């Protein structure tokens, strides 16, 4: 007669359920605490524009997350992205970087591969790198730099790289013969900005653990670059809104008029 192990199953299953229930209760408690923290953080921010010098310290003061959050600038622009001549796109090297080192892949040929290695690229190679991305759907890198002579092969990777924003482009300096300079700029904190379909620009400018001065300078350089990238055909108010936020923190409206005035000087 086979042994009846239903009792053991019931005991194990009940124990597992209790364990899951305990985890859920713990998570609910955490969510409740997070909810209170979020509400408290939002309550500390007045519904008015702040200058960067006041907004950055305030964002750091209301921080409650237990990890080093990314700080981001979001701009709402007075352009129509449906028209190619009103697309706002560019790159800028943030003076204090992003608080992490980007992994860079270089696809090139000949001596340019050695140049990439010497400049500090994390991955480098020629056609074999194209094959790796194609066959393995590999995208374990933050930026891809390519030389013009290999773009015919790299162009085939559009369906894989395009949705992830990794496709190299001459306008952003990621299709270039000066491989060393491109690698060094990305490693130093070069970021790309471009309008999305709703005319918004989202760009990270550092970590919440940065000193206020470093975040202020990074944000100022980014906003200034977007201002200077204004399309000549764009009419009316260019920057319609600007917000400073962190991963978990509240959004703080920014008064960009001092930066706009300085950019036009």
């Amino acid at each position: 007669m086979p042994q009846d192990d239903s009792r053991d199953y019931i005991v194990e299953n009940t124990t597992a359920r209790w364990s899951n229930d305990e985890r859920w209760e713990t998570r609910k408690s955490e969510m409740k605490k997070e909810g209170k923290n979020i509400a408290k953080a939002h309550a500390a921010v007045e519904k008015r524009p702040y200058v960067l010098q006041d907004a950055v310290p305030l964002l750091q003061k209301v921080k409650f997350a237990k990890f080093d959050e990314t700080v981001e600038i979001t701009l709402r622009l007075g352009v129509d992205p449906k028209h190619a001549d009103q697309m706002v796109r560019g790159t800028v090297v943030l003076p204090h970087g992003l608080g992490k080192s980007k992994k860079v892949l270089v696809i090139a040929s000949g001596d340019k591969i050695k140049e990439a290695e010497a400049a500090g690229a994390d991955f480098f190679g020629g056609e074999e790198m194209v094959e790796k991305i194609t066959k393995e759907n590999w995208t374990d890198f933050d930026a891809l730099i390519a030389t013009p002579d290999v773009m015919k092969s790299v162009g085939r990777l559009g369906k894989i790289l395009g949705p992830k924003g990794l496709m190299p482009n001459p306008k952003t300096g990621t299709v270039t013969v000066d491989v060393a300079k491109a690698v060094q700029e990305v490693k130093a904190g070069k970021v790309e900005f471009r309008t999305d379909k709703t005319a918004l620009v989202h760009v990270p400018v550092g970590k919440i653990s940065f000193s206020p001065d470093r975040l202020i300078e990074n944000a100022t350089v980014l906003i200034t670059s977007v201002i200077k990238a204004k399309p000549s055909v764009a009419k009316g108010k260019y920057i319609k809104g600007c917000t400073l936020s962190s991963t978990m923190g509240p959004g703080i409206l920014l008064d960009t008029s001092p930066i706009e005035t300085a950019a036009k000087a």
Side-chain angles (χ1 to χ4, degrees), residues 9-265:
Y9 171 78
I10 292 171
V11 171
E12 290 174 4
N13 192 49
T14 304
T15 302
R17 180 169 58 79
W18 284 344
S19 178
N20 287 334
D21 288 346
E22 288 169 358
R23 283 197 293 268
W24 172 236
E25 289 301 324
T26 300
R27 180 57 187 144
K28 282 200 298 184
S29 176
E30 291 174 351
M31 289 169 65
K32 189 174 182 180
K33 185 177 180 181
E34 287 175 2
K36 289 182 179 179
N37 287 331
I38 292 172
K40 184 178 179 181
H42 278 276
V45 178
E46 297 178 24
K47 294 181 179 179
R48 63 173 177 84
Y50 290 77
V51 293
L52 262 175
Q53 288 75 8
D54 294 333
V56 169
L58 176 58
L59 187 67
Q60 293 176 319
K61 180 180 178 181
V62 300
K63 165 184 162 53
F64 61 86
K66 296 180 180 179
F67 62 94
D68 197 8
E69 303 167 81
T70 295
V71 177
E72 184 178 84
I73 290 286
T74 302
L75 297 115
R76 182 164 60 89
L77 303 181
V79 297
D80 186 351
K82 294 179 182 178
H83 299 287
D85 59 356
Q86 292 192 46
M87 278 291 294
V88 177
R89 182 174 188 174
T91 59
V92 58
V93 177
L94 300 178
H96 303 292
L98 289 171
K100 68 173 185 177
S101 179
K102 287 189 173 183
K103 290 187 285 187
V104 180
L105 164 64
V106 174
I107 299 179
S109 61
D111 291 340
K112 292 298 177 179
I113 297 177
K114 294 180 180 179
E115 185 179 320
E117 181 180 10
D122 300 273
F123 312 103
F124 40 84
E127 288 291 334
E128 72 276 14
M129 302 308 295
V130 176
E131 290 297 313
K132 181 176 177 65
I133 294 171
T134 303
K135 293 180 179 179
E136 302 176 20
N137 203 38
W138 177 67
T139 56
D140 187 25
F141 48 89
D142 302 302
L144 168 56
I145 296 165
T147 50
D149 60 313
V150 301
M151 278 307 295
K152 185 176 181 179
S153 296
V154 174
R156 301 198 304 265
L157 304 174
K159 289 184 179 180
I160 299 174
L161 302 180
K164 296 180 180 294
L166 293 171
M167 196 67 186
N169 189 304
K171 293 181 179 180
T172 61
T174 47
V175 177
T176 176
V177 294
D178 196 345
V179 171
K181 180 182 177 182
V183 170
Q184 289 163 3
E185 285 184 341
V186 172
K187 290 287 188 180
K190 182 178 182 179
V191 295
E192 178 183 357
F193 59 85
R194 63 179 299 174
T195 46
D196 63 16
K197 293 179 181 179
T198 60
L200 292 176
V201 173
H202 306 273
V203 188
V205 291
K207 293 291 185 179
I208 197 78
S209 60
F210 280 18
S211 69
D213 289 344
R214 290 172 68 193
L215 281 174
I216 290 168
E217 189 173 354
N218 274 1
T220 300
V221 168
L222 181 277
I223 296 171
T224 301
S225 296
V226 175
I227 291 171
K228 291 184 176 180
K230 178 182 179 181
S232 58
V233 296
K235 305 299 179 183
K237 188 170 179 58
Y238 180 51
I239 296 183
K240 291 190 171 183
C242 185
T243 304
L244 177 77
S245 62
S246 60
T247 307
M248 298 292 290
I252 301 176
L253 292 175
L254 292 181
D255 176 4
T256 60
S257 55
I259 301 174
E260 293 180 72
T261 300
K264 295 174 183 178

Side-chain angles (χ1 to χ4, degrees), residues 1-10:
M1 183 175 180
Q3 183 179 355
D4 183 1
D5 59 356
S6 59
R7 179 183 176 85
D8 293 336
Y9 171 78
I10 292 171

